[in-house]
């Protein structure tokens, strides 16, 4: 099997200078690509000159994570795609257990490695940790991370297990499956589009796995930090997109109603914290959801019905009311 490690870039010269050497050094046998989203800095020239072994794909516009990868991957021929963030340090032999799993388990369509925090390497990182899940209301959480509570890595997730979603920070996926499910949904632009992709992978009967014997370190927040209202907007809006698009049956309307109430409570919380820009971000997220309701309702009708996608009704209740901060307490 051949693998293409594809790094999406937008004005990320400093990140590429810091993190790309580890990818090149530790990715023997793979071809490394830089997919550039119409950068205006000198990142492409820097990579071309400094790392001539890296293949460059230049997208015409900055279409975000979803369109950026869709455009780039359409030009790459490989058995396995690795969608890798530009702020990731990889470790020695990180690809070996991933490829071994793909070779021995034909039902596995996508894999995520262990994702630790680059700034605090003893702990899991927010974007994916040890594999992702969602509750009935569409809130994502991970083994090793629930909301902002990050667990220390003590080997408790050194296993290999099935998960619901794999992080877009480092997502391995078979090319055939990526194309079969319709690629990434470009209406998401960025954030949670990988959860939508994984949901569709499940809907056609494939499996997604976490492989704890492969480790990477993710800086996180390099494009949009947690305090950026744009990130708040995308996360709240895209969570509603996930529900209307993928939850089968009429129960989806009740779930969206409950979710909007909880969004309102989150908005009020932002006001009490003096974070008015985040309050308005949630308001704008709902307006955008209403504006695109018909588009996503049509997508909903085209998708196959899926089975049970959750094990918890509300991770919000578990975390904020019952004060359960670790995955094994849920």
């Amino acid at each position: 099997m051949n693998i293409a490690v594809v790094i999406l870039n937008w004005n990320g010269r400093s990140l590429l200078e810091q993190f790309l050497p580890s990818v090149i050094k530790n990715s023997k046998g793979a071809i490394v690509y830089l997919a550039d989203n119409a950068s205006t800095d000198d990142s492409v020239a820097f990579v071309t000159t400094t790392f001539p072994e890296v293949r460059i794909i230049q997208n015409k516009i900055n279409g975000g994570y979803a369109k950026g990868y869709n455009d780039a991957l359409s030009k790459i021929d490989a058995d396995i795609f690795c969608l890798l963030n530009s702020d990731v340090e990889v470790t020695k032999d990180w690809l070996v257990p991933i490829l071994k799993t793909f070779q021995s388990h034909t039902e596995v369509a996508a894999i995520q490695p262990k994702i630790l925090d680059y700034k605090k390497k003893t702990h899991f990182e927010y974007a994916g940790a040890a594999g992702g899940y969602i509750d009935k209301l569409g809130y994502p959480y991970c083994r090793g991370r629930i909301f902002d509570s990050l667990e220390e890595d003590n080997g408790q997730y050194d296993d290999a297990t099935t998960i619901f979603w794999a992080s877009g920070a480092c997502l391995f996926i078979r090319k055939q499956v990526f194309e079969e499910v319709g690629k990434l949904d470009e209406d998401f632009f960025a954030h949670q589009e990988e959860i939508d992709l994984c949901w569709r992978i499940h809907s056609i009967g494939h499996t997604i796995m976490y492989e704890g014997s492969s480790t990477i370190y993710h800086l996180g927040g390099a494009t949009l930090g947690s305090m950026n209202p744009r990130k708040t907007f995308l996360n709240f809006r895209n969570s509603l997109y996930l529900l209307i698009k993928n939850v089968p049956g009429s129960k989806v309307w009740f779930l969206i109603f409950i979710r909007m109430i909880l969004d309102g409570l989150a908005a009020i919380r932002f006001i009490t914290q003096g974070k008015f820009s985040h309050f308005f971000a949630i308001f704008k997220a709902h307006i955008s959801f209403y504006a695109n309701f018909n588009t996503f309702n049509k997508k909903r009708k085209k998708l196959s019905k899926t089975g049970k996608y959750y094990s918890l009704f509300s991770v919000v209740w578990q975390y904020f009311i019952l004060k359960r901060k670790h995955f094994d307490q849920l």
Side-chain angles (χ1 to χ4, degrees), residues 173-221:
I173 184 170
R174 296 183 192 269
K175 175 184 179 180
Q176 180 182 353
V177 175
F178 183 74
E179 294 176 344
E180 182 181 358
V181 297
K183 304 182 180 181
L184 292 160
D185 188 332
E186 297 177 9
D187 286 331
F188 280 71
F189 186 78
H191 293 289
Q192 300 193 42
E193 66 281 275
E194 79 269 43
I195 303 179
D196 171 68
L197 178 71
C198 290
W199 204 328
R200 286 182 278 130
I201 289 172
H202 285 293
S203 74
I204 60 173
H206 292 298
T207 300
I208 299 169
M209 288 197 68
Y210 161 80
E211 179 52 71
S213 59
S214 174
T215 301
I216 66 166
Y217 298 97
H218 184 216
L219 177 63

Side-chain angles (χ1 to χ4, degrees), residues 161-174:
T161 188
T162 57
I163 55 177
F164 186 73
W165 59 269
S167 172
C170 184
L171 170 63
F172 292 86
I173 184 170
R174 296 183 192 269

Side-chain angles (χ1 to χ4, degrees), residues 45-287:
F46 165 73
V47 172
T48 301
T49 302
T50 312
F51 305 105
E53 62 269 58
V54 175
R55 301 186 185 184
I56 307 293
I57 297 175
Q58 291 186 283
N59 294 329
K60 294 181 180 179
I61 64 171
N62 177 20
Y65 183 97
K67 181 173 174 55
Y69 268 118
N70 284 347
D71 289 349
L73 297 181
S74 67
K75 302 173 184 175
I76 298 174
D77 186 23
D79 298 313
I80 305 296
F81 294 144
C82 172
L83 285 60
L84 185 70
N85 278 13
S86 60
D87 58 346
V88 168
E89 178 183 86
V90 305
T91 58
K92 183 180 179 181
D93 296 327
W94 70 300
L95 296 178
V96 174
I98 302 293
L99 289 173
K100 185 179 295 184
T101 300
F102 275 125
Q103 289 168 343
S104 59
H105 298 278
T106 57
E107 78 282 2
V108 173
I111 303 174
Q112 178 201 302
K114 179 193 289 187
I115 304 179
L116 298 179
D117 191 336
Y118 180 78
K119 302 182 293 296
K120 192 176 183 180
K121 293 188 175 182
T122 56
H123 285 67
F124 287 94
E125 206 275 325
Y126 183 92
Y133 302 87
I134 58 173
D135 71 5
K136 193 172 184 178
L137 297 169
Y139 286 97
Y141 60 99
C142 306
R143 299 199 313 163
R145 190 274 293 175
I146 304 175
F147 291 106
D148 291 329
S149 293
L150 298 164
E151 295 180 33
E152 185 175 1
D153 176 24
N154 295 311
Q156 68 271 40
Y157 304 122
D158 283 353
D159 56 354
T161 188
T162 57
I163 55 177
F164 186 73
W165 59 269
S167 172
C170 184
L171 170 63
F172 292 86
I173 184 170
R174 296 183 192 269
K175 175 184 179 180
Q176 180 182 353
V177 175
F178 183 74
E179 294 176 344
E180 182 181 358
V181 297
K183 304 182 180 181
L184 292 160
D185 188 332
E186 297 177 9
D187 286 331
F188 280 71
F189 186 78
H191 293 289
Q192 300 193 42
E193 66 281 275
E194 79 269 43
I195 303 179
D196 171 68
L197 178 71
C198 290
W199 204 328
R200 286 182 278 130
I201 289 172
H202 285 293
S203 74
I204 60 173
H206 292 298
T207 300
I208 299 169
M209 288 197 68
Y210 161 80
E211 179 52 71
S213 59
S214 174
T215 301
I216 66 166
Y217 298 97
H218 184 216
L219 177 63
T223 304
L224 288 176
S226 61
M227 296 308 294
N228 192 312
R230 175 66 173 169
K231 185 171 185 176
T232 299
F233 166 80
L234 289 169
N235 278 331
F236 277 80
R237 185 199 65 177
N238 291 354
S239 288
L240 295 172
Y241 281 175
L242 277 176
L243 290 173
I244 188 174
K245 182 177 176 182
N246 294 293
V247 175
S250 58
K251 63 186 176 183
V252 67
W253 312 119
F254 171 74
L255 298 180
I256 289 175
F257 174 72
I258 297 298
R259 181 60 192 257
M260 285 184 161
I261 292 175
L262 293 175
D263 286 359
L265 293 175
I268 293 171
R269 185 165 180 259
F270 279 132
I271 290 178
T272 63
Q273 295 172 339
K275 299 177 181 179
F276 299 104
S277 59
H278 291 270
F279 165 80
F280 286 112
I282 295 177
F283 176 76
K284 292 176 182 176
H286 282 204
I287 294 299

